[in-house]
Amino acid sequence: MKNLIIDAANDKIIFSFITEERSYTTSHPNSRENFDRFMSLLVFFLNENKLKLNDVEKIFVNQGPGKFSSLRISISIAKAISLAKNISLCGFESKLVENGNYKKLFEIDKEDLKINDLIKPLYSS
């Protein structure tokens, strides 16, 4: 399974691509400048690791809790890619990932993941 993880709910924007054999991860400061170039950062990450959106079989996006702008941009981009490329999309909450261990997402109960249209941001106060 080839999975793309998009996580902008915390202090960093994290892109991770995980397969059974390999994983690639990059992070960027969670800032206004990086929101403006969010898709460019994602495309650069994929190109740098010789990956293509057509390689992705499932997208996981962190739905929070987190800052309004961070969640809106990351969920919007994930939904757009999912629709354009017909890729399955799952939302997860920050509490499901401990210490950046995104592989745990593949082991958790499917009821803890939000599938496709049910993904709604959880904003921190």
Side-chain angles (χ1 to χ4, degrees):
M1 183 67 87
K2 298 174 182 174
N3 303 286
L4 175 64
I5 292 100
I6 300 174
D7 184 350
N10 299 302
D11 294 337
K12 297 211 179 258
I13 297 169
I14 298 171
F15 302 120
S16 191
F17 189 89
I18 300 174
T19 68
E20 291 84 9
E21 304 87 34
R22 296 187 158 192
S23 65
Y24 307 91
T25 302
T26 191
S27 66
H28 303 277
N30 196 336
S31 65
R32 173 72 183 173
E33 295 81 25
N34 286 336
F35 298 152
D36 292 343
R37 54 191 203 121
F38 197 93
M39 191 62 193
S40 296
L41 293 171
L42 178 57
V43 169
F44 180 79
F45 164 70
L46 294 171
N47 289 340
E48 182 178 53
N49 293 295
K50 297 178 178 52
L51 304 168
K52 297 182 173 124
L53 283 176
N54 291 335
D55 295 335
V56 177
E57 296 174 25
K58 188 175 278 190
I59 300 171
F60 290 85
V61 63
N62 191 338
Q63 63 190 48
K67 296 177 185 173
F68 179 83
S69 298
S70 305
L71 296 178
R72 294 306 295 173
I73 191 73
S74 59
I75 292 172
S76 297
I77 294 287
K79 282 187 174 185
I81 294 169
S82 171
L83 287 170
K85 297 291 188 179
N86 197 26
I87 300 170
S88 179
L89 176 64
C90 295
F92 66 93
E93 293 183 28
S94 296
K95 65 183 177 185
L96 297 176
V97 177
E98 297 171 8
N99 301 320
N101 183 9
Y102 293 104
K103 289 184 179 183
K104 185 177 179 187
L105 291 174
F106 316 131
E107 302 166 4
I108 61 175
D109 187 0
K110 299 297 182 208
E111 291 180 17
D112 287 335
L113 296 174
K114 308 300 182 224
I115 309 299
N116 295 330
D117 295 338
L118 301 175
I119 298 170
K120 295 193 172 36
L122 303 170
Y123 304 116
S124 56
S125 44

